Amino acid sequence: MTTAVAPSSPLSAVDRCDRCGAQAYLRVMLPGGGELLFCAHHAREHGPKLREIATDIHDETGKLADTPATTPDSED
């Protein structure tokens, strides 16, 4: 018997942290099918315990380290 796990869909700005309401960057899948969403701050705070109980973790906190694109200075 094989079981396939559906890939997690990307998190977006409408996904909010269950602790504080900030943008979520971590999705934690729980046994039984529940899910929790966390901002980067709460993901760091609760990370060790979440890893003990999670069946899957979708982590997008790396997006916070991305450098935003810059535009060239305008020519005068």
Side-chain angles (χ1 to χ4, degrees):
M1 172 187 226
T2 61
T3 58
V5 176
S8 297
S9 59
L11 294 166
S12 70
V14 298
D15 293 309
R16 310 311 286 183
C17 176
D18 290 327
R19 295 283 299 163
C20 69
Q23 184 172 347
Y25 288 95
L26 188 84
R27 176 184 293 121
V28 179
M29 299 306 295
L30 301 171
E35 95 176 355
L36 295 172
L37 300 174
F38 291 97
C39 65
H41 164 79
H42 285 112
R44 283 189 301 275
E45 182 179 343
H46 301 292
K49 184 63 176 174
L50 293 171
R51 283 172 179 70
E52 289 177 19
I53 63 171
T55 60
D56 185 52
I57 295 179
H58 179 84
D59 187 348
E60 294 185 7
T61 56
K63 287 182 175 180
L64 296 172
D66 291 345
T67 305
T70 58
T71 58
D73 293 334
S74 61
E75 295 180 25
D76 292 324

